[in-house]
Protein backbone atom coordinates (compact mmCIF):
# COMPACT_ATOMS: atom_id res chain seq x y z
CA UNK A 1 0.00 0.00 0.00
CA UNK A 2 1.22 3.50 -0.81
CA UNK A 3 0.23 6.75 0.84
CA UNK A 4 0.25 10.08 -0.99
CA UNK A 5 -0.03 13.50 0.56
CA UNK A 6 -2.84 15.65 -0.88
CA UNK A 7 -1.26 19.05 -0.45
CA UNK A 8 0.30 22.06 -2.10
CA UNK A 9 1.87 23.45 1.08
CA UNK A 10 5.67 23.52 1.06
CA UNK A 11 6.03 22.81 4.79
CA UNK A 12 3.68 19.80 4.61
CA UNK A 13 5.54 18.39 1.61
CA UNK A 14 8.89 18.77 3.41
CA UNK A 15 7.52 17.06 6.52
CA UNK A 16 6.00 14.20 4.51
CA UNK A 17 9.34 13.59 2.78
CA UNK A 18 10.80 12.56 6.14
CA UNK A 19 8.20 9.80 6.50
CA UNK A 20 9.29 6.63 4.69
CA UNK A 21 5.70 5.40 4.16
CA UNK A 22 4.69 8.50 2.18
CA UNK A 23 5.27 7.75 -1.51
CA UNK A 24 4.70 11.24 -2.92
CA UNK A 25 2.34 14.14 -3.40
CA UNK A 26 -0.89 14.44 -5.32
CA UNK A 27 -2.58 17.69 -6.14
CA UNK A 28 -5.29 19.28 -8.25
CA UNK A 29 -6.63 22.79 -8.83
CA UNK A 30 -8.81 22.66 -5.68
CA UNK A 31 -5.85 21.67 -3.46
CA UNK A 32 -3.77 24.46 -4.99
CA UNK A 33 -6.58 26.97 -4.37
CA UNK A 34 -7.02 25.93 -0.73
CA UNK A 35 -3.27 26.28 -0.16
CA UNK A 36 -3.21 29.72 -1.78
CA UNK A 37 -0.87 28.48 -4.51
CA UNK A 38 -1.35 29.98 -7.95
CA UNK A 39 0.41 27.30 -10.02
CA UNK A 40 1.88 23.84 -9.83
CA UNK A 41 5.49 25.12 -9.88
CA UNK A 42 5.45 25.64 -6.10
CA UNK A 43 4.57 21.98 -5.54
CA UNK A 44 7.12 20.84 -8.12
CA UNK A 45 9.87 22.88 -6.45
CA UNK A 46 8.92 21.64 -2.98
CA UNK A 47 8.89 18.00 -4.08
CA UNK A 48 12.20 18.37 -5.94
CA UNK A 49 13.77 20.01 -2.88
CA UNK A 50 13.03 16.91 -0.78
CA UNK A 51 15.58 14.90 -2.73
CA UNK A 52 13.16 11.94 -2.73
CA UNK A 53 13.91 10.33 -6.08
CA UNK A 54 11.54 7.48 -5.18
CA UNK A 55 8.53 9.79 -4.90
CA UNK A 56 5.71 10.20 -7.39
CA UNK A 57 4.34 13.65 -8.03
CA UNK A 58 0.75 13.46 -9.28
CA UNK A 59 -0.52 16.48 -11.18
CA UNK A 60 -3.93 17.07 -12.72
CA UNK A 61 -3.48 18.68 -16.11
CA UNK A 62 -5.84 21.37 -17.39
CA UNK A 63 -7.37 21.61 -20.82
CA UNK A 64 -9.21 19.26 -23.09
CA UNK A 65 -7.16 19.37 -26.26
CA UNK A 66 -4.39 17.07 -27.40
CA UNK A 67 -1.95 19.94 -27.93
CA UNK A 68 -2.66 21.57 -24.56
CA UNK A 69 -1.97 18.30 -22.71
CA UNK A 70 1.20 17.45 -24.65
CA UNK A 71 2.51 21.01 -24.20
CA UNK A 72 1.83 20.95 -20.43
CA UNK A 73 3.65 17.63 -20.05
CA UNK A 74 6.69 18.95 -21.92
CA UNK A 75 6.72 22.12 -19.80
CA UNK A 76 6.44 20.24 -16.49
CA UNK A 77 9.15 17.77 -17.48
CA UNK A 78 11.44 20.65 -18.44
CA UNK A 79 10.80 22.37 -15.11
CA UNK A 80 11.50 19.17 -13.18
CA UNK A 81 14.67 18.48 -15.17
CA UNK A 82 15.90 22.02 -14.54
CA UNK A 83 15.39 21.66 -10.77
CA UNK A 84 16.77 18.15 -10.38
CA UNK A 85 19.30 17.72 -13.18
CA UNK A 86 17.18 15.25 -15.15
CA UNK A 87 13.90 13.37 -15.15
CA UNK A 88 15.51 10.42 -13.35
CA UNK A 89 17.07 12.61 -10.66
CA UNK A 90 13.89 13.61 -8.89
CA UNK A 91 10.31 12.57 -8.30
CA UNK A 92 8.48 10.78 -11.12
CA UNK A 93 5.66 12.80 -12.65
CA UNK A 94 2.26 11.12 -12.98
CA UNK A 95 -0.24 12.95 -15.16
CA UNK A 96 -3.91 12.85 -14.11
CA UNK A 97 -6.25 13.29 -17.07
CA UNK A 98 -10.04 13.32 -17.53
CA UNK A 99 -11.66 10.66 -19.77
CA UNK A 100 -12.66 12.89 -22.69
CA UNK A 101 -11.95 11.83 -26.29
CA UNK A 102 -9.14 14.15 -27.37
CA UNK A 103 -7.44 13.88 -23.96
CA UNK A 104 -7.55 10.08 -24.26
CA UNK A 105 -5.62 10.44 -27.52
CA UNK A 106 -3.04 12.50 -25.63
CA UNK A 107 -2.97 9.87 -22.87
CA UNK A 108 -2.29 7.16 -25.45
CA UNK A 109 0.61 9.18 -26.85
CA UNK A 110 2.04 9.80 -23.39
CA UNK A 111 1.82 6.11 -22.52
CA UNK A 112 3.65 5.23 -25.76
CA UNK A 113 6.36 7.69 -24.69
CA UNK A 114 6.76 5.83 -21.38
CA UNK A 115 5.05 8.43 -19.20
CA UNK A 116 2.80 7.54 -16.28
CA UNK A 117 -0.85 8.47 -16.76
CA UNK A 118 -3.87 8.21 -14.47
CA UNK A 119 -7.34 8.64 -15.95
CA UNK A 120 -9.59 10.29 -13.37
CA UNK A 121 -13.33 10.74 -13.02
CA UNK A 122 -14.57 7.77 -15.03
CA UNK A 123 -18.33 8.18 -14.73
CA UNK A 124 -19.87 5.62 -17.09
CA UNK A 125 -19.25 2.33 -18.88
CA UNK A 126 -18.41 4.00 -22.22
CA UNK A 127 -15.60 5.99 -20.59
CA UNK A 128 -14.36 2.83 -18.85
CA UNK A 129 -14.27 0.93 -22.16
CA UNK A 130 -12.43 3.82 -23.83
CA UNK A 131 -9.80 3.80 -21.11
CA UNK A 132 -9.39 0.01 -21.42
CA UNK A 133 -8.57 0.50 -25.11
CA UNK A 134 -5.86 3.12 -24.48
CA UNK A 135 -2.84 1.03 -25.51
CA UNK A 136 -4.41 0.44 -28.94
CA UNK A 137 -5.58 4.00 -29.60
CA UNK A 138 -3.74 5.49 -32.57
CA UNK A 139 -1.57 8.50 -32.02
CA UNK A 140 -3.19 11.82 -32.85
CA UNK A 141 -3.00 12.44 -36.57
CA UNK A 142 -2.52 8.77 -37.60
Amino acid sequence: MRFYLDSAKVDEIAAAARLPWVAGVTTNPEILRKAGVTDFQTVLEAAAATGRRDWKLWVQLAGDSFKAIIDQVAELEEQLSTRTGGLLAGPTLVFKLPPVPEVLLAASTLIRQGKEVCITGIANSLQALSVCALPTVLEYGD
Side-chain angles (χ1 to χ4, degrees):
M1 183 179 304
R2 294 179 175 249
F3 296 98
Y4 293 92
L5 173 68
D6 280 341
S7 182
K9 296 181 179 177
V10 173
D11 58 336
E12 291 178 358
I13 293 168
R18 294 189 291 272
L19 304 173
W21 56 84
V22 176
V25 177
T26 180
T27 192
N28 61 43
E30 181 64 15
I31 292 170
L32 293 173
R33 186 190 65 73
K34 285 181 179 178
V37 175
T38 57
D39 61 30
F40 183 71
Q41 274 189 313
T42 302
V43 176
L44 188 106
E45 289 172 7
T50 68
R52 291 284 305 265
R53 291 178 29 181
D54 61 322
W55 262 24
K56 292 194 183 287
L57 184 52
W58 298 68
V59 58
Q60 185 170 337
L61 299 180
D64 59 359
S65 77
F66 178 88
K67 182 170 178 7
I69 297 299
I70 299 299
D71 288 349
Q72 285 177 70
V73 167
E75 182 181 331
L76 289 170
E77 287 184 333
E78 177 62 30
Q79 291 171 3
L80 182 63
S81 290
T82 298
R83 284 166 181 73
T84 62
L87 289 178
L88 300 178
T92 301
L93 291 169
V94 181
F95 304 103
K96 300 188 309 186
L97 301 167
V100 296
E102 198 164 345
V103 174
L104 290 176
L105 288 172
S108 178
T109 299
L110 295 172
I111 290 167
R112 288 173 189 245
Q113 294 173 354
K115 299 181 188 347
E116 291 193 50
V117 172
C118 172
I119 305 301
T120 63
I122 298 171
N124 59 51
S125 58
L126 180 59
Q127 289 174 337
L129 288 171
S130 298
V131 171
C132 290
L134 270 181
T136 60
V137 173
L138 294 175
E139 288 190 39
Y140 187 75
D142 283 354

